[in-house]
Amino acid sequence: MRRHDFEPGKLVIGLVLLGGCAAYLAAAAGRWHFPAYVLLPALGIALCVSGAVSALAVSVRRRRDPAGRDDRD
C-alpha cells in the first residue's frame, strides 16, 4: 500500500468537528451549557484556517521540489 501525504488542513478541520461534537455531547449530558449559535461561526472560521493551512502546506511542498516532480510512483 502506498503511503499518503500528511494533510494538516484535514487535521485542523477534524479537530474542530470533534470539538463541536464533544460540546454537543456535554450539553446533552447537562454538564455544559453553551449558545448553539456559536458553533456555526466557529466552523466557518475553522474552514478558513484549514484552507490557509492547506495552502501553506502545498507551497512548502512545492518549494522543496522546484522541478515539480511527482515521486509517488
Side-chain angles (χ1 to χ4, degrees), residues 14-56:
L15 290 175
V16 169
L17 288 174
L18 282 174
C21 291
Y24 271 118
L25 284 174
R31 296 179 184 254
W32 186 42
H33 178 71
F34 66 95
Y37 61 84
V38 172
L39 288 180
L40 189 60
L43 182 60
I45 292 169
L47 285 170
C48 291
V49 169
S50 121
V53 168
S54 294
L56 181 66

Side-chain angles (χ1 to χ4, degrees), residues 4-28:
H4 297 280
D5 291 336
F6 174 65
E7 297 182 14
K10 290 183 180 182
L11 176 67
V12 169
I13 198 67
L15 290 175
V16 169
L17 288 174
L18 282 174
C21 291
Y24 271 118
L25 284 174

